Amino acid sequence: MLGIPFVVNPADIVEKIPQDVGPKDAPEYLACKKVEAVAQRISSVQEDTGWILGADTAIFFEDRLYGKPANKEEAIGMIRLLQGHEHEVITGVALYNDNLHDITTRRSVNRISFAPMTESEIEWYVNTGEWHGAAGGYRIQGLASCFIKKIEGTVSSIMGLPIFELYDMLREQGYSFITKT
């Protein structure tokens, strides 16, 4: 959307949160760890790593952090828990700029209100498979939108990459989006 050339380079990290990192800080922490892992891997084969972006999204509900469900049963449990309630979607984003040798991080906190769902609707939704790899077991840009009553925040952040925060970070670090003629 922003016209930025990119290469996908998975971080392949173990997403473990240390005890001293609070639950609402976890997505920002993991985004930073992803960037560090990719920067280390790239710098071992080339001198200039350029810009490296990482992001992580989690659900915060009733003082607990929820990531991606490991299986269908976990997905059903998460959707069952979230339906009929409001929860927070927290996305952390980290940006490494090789010219500055610096990592900048940001957090975007959004609120989602799920409508009440029947057991049949929960089962139907989970059987779509959209829960795979999705924090909280749902994707707002998919069929889960049938059950979203209210959104406070930005859809791009809920989908996993907060465009406003990314644009602002890049602009602060001197990335030019405007071509001079």
Side-chain angles (χ1 to χ4, degrees):
M1 184 173 78
L2 294 174
I4 300 170
F6 67 93
V7 175
V8 175
N9 198 332
D12 298 325
I13 65 165
V14 176
E15 295 189 10
K16 185 174 165 102
I17 313 299
Q19 292 281 353
D20 63 336
V21 174
K24 290 189 175 188
D25 297 324
E28 216 169 336
Y29 171 84
L30 289 174
C32 195
K33 289 299 174 190
K34 290 174 181 180
V35 166
E36 289 170 353
V38 171
Q40 185 177 22
R41 189 171 57 238
I42 291 174
S43 67
S44 70
V45 294
Q46 66 189 52
E47 193 173 311
D48 181 16
T49 61
W51 302 77
I52 300 173
L53 173 68
D56 192 78
T57 301
I59 303 299
F60 191 74
F61 179 66
E62 294 183 343
D63 297 324
R64 187 167 168 216
L65 200 64
Y66 295 88
K68 302 168 189 129
N71 53 47
K72 183 178 176 180
E73 290 72 32
E74 239 181 69
I76 288 171
M78 285 183 190
I79 298 296
R80 191 177 286 141
L81 185 69
L82 298 175
Q83 64 85 28
H85 299 284
E86 179 178 283
H87 63 275
E88 290 182 328
V89 179
I90 303 171
T91 298
V93 63
L95 180 67
Y96 176 72
N97 179 339
D98 191 48
N99 290 331
L100 301 175
H101 301 288
D102 185 49
I103 296 177
T104 303
T105 65
R106 296 277 169 84
R107 175 187 322 180
S108 177
V109 180
N110 309 272
R111 295 192 194 307
I112 301 287
S113 294
F114 257 95
M117 297 169 70
T118 65
E119 283 299 313
S120 299
E121 288 171 323
I122 293 169
E123 192 76 31
W124 168 78
Y125 178 72
V126 171
N127 283 334
T128 68
E130 283 187 359
W131 62 269
H132 289 279
Y138 72 91
R139 295 187 189 283
I140 194 167
Q141 67 272 32
L143 292 169
S145 61
C146 295
F147 307 105
I148 304 298
K149 276 181 20 179
K150 184 178 176 185
I151 297 171
E152 292 178 34
T154 63
V155 174
S156 66
S157 177
I158 297 164
M159 290 172 47
L161 184 60
I163 299 299
F164 171 79
E165 286 79 0
L166 173 59
Y167 180 84
D168 197 44
M169 291 165 72
L170 285 165
R171 190 175 52 184
E172 275 181 7
Q173 293 190 19
Y175 189 94
S176 179
F177 290 91
I178 302 167
T179 349
K180 296 181 180 174
T181 53

